[in-house]
Amino acid sequence: MAKKNQEDPLAGLEKAYAQWQWLFENGGSDPTWPDGVNLNLMRNHIIYFKGQIEETCPLYMADALYLRELPPEVDQNYMANPDKIREQARRSLQAYQADPNYQYLLRHRDSLTPKQSKELCVGAVLGYAASLRDSIARDDLVEMRRHREPERYLESFQDCADKVRQALESSDPNLFDMAAEEENDTPDMGMTM
């Protein structure tokens, strides 16, 4: 059985150098690891492709790409554009806290039974903002980077708020809540005796 054609090591080397450079300048989107971890992984890819050239295509060893200097090893915790990540995280948190659906969930989370709250994932959805607030306080750039595009989380707030509205509209009215609403809706006439 014939082996599948593997990637040309020179093309792989060119791609690995380009990815390393892009990641170093722009940062990645890995939700778990800092850019430094991925940069060092890309560096290992470069070493691998250079080794492949030495073993299988020694004529490529004269190519300028092969002769290009190996990128440096970087600190595992390196993050590209940390100030930009921090600023975007602050803006995302402000957007979450100002969102009417987020505000609705905060106001109505205690109106649900524990079972409803769990089924509708209210705690998890509200946890997005709490987690981001905590990440900002700890300066956790990897966690903050997850919130670069707040629209995804804002959609979760809306989806969850819609489900909570449906659950509250379809559930039996809570007599204590009704009494409290009546008390708040009744104008204060003052007590006369």
Side-chain angles (χ1 to χ4, degrees), residues 26-90:
N26 302 296
S29 58
D30 191 314
T32 310
W33 300 103
D35 294 332
V37 171
N38 290 307
L39 281 164
N40 290 331
L41 180 62
M42 290 310 306
R43 182 179 186 273
N44 288 340
H45 289 187
I46 292 168
I47 292 168
Y48 168 80
F49 284 118
K50 285 189 175 202
Q52 286 295 301
I53 288 170
E54 292 164 7
E55 290 176 21
T56 62
C57 308
L59 292 177
Y60 286 165
M61 291 172 66
D63 192 285
L65 189 58
Y66 174 85
L67 297 171
R68 184 174 171 185
E69 186 176 340
L70 185 64
E73 234 181 303
V74 297
D75 183 299
Q76 296 285 328
N77 295 313
Y78 169 81
M79 291 290 285
N81 305 311
D83 292 335
K84 186 176 177 182
I85 293 170
R86 289 180 185 104
E87 178 57 33
Q88 182 57 54
R90 285 190 290 271

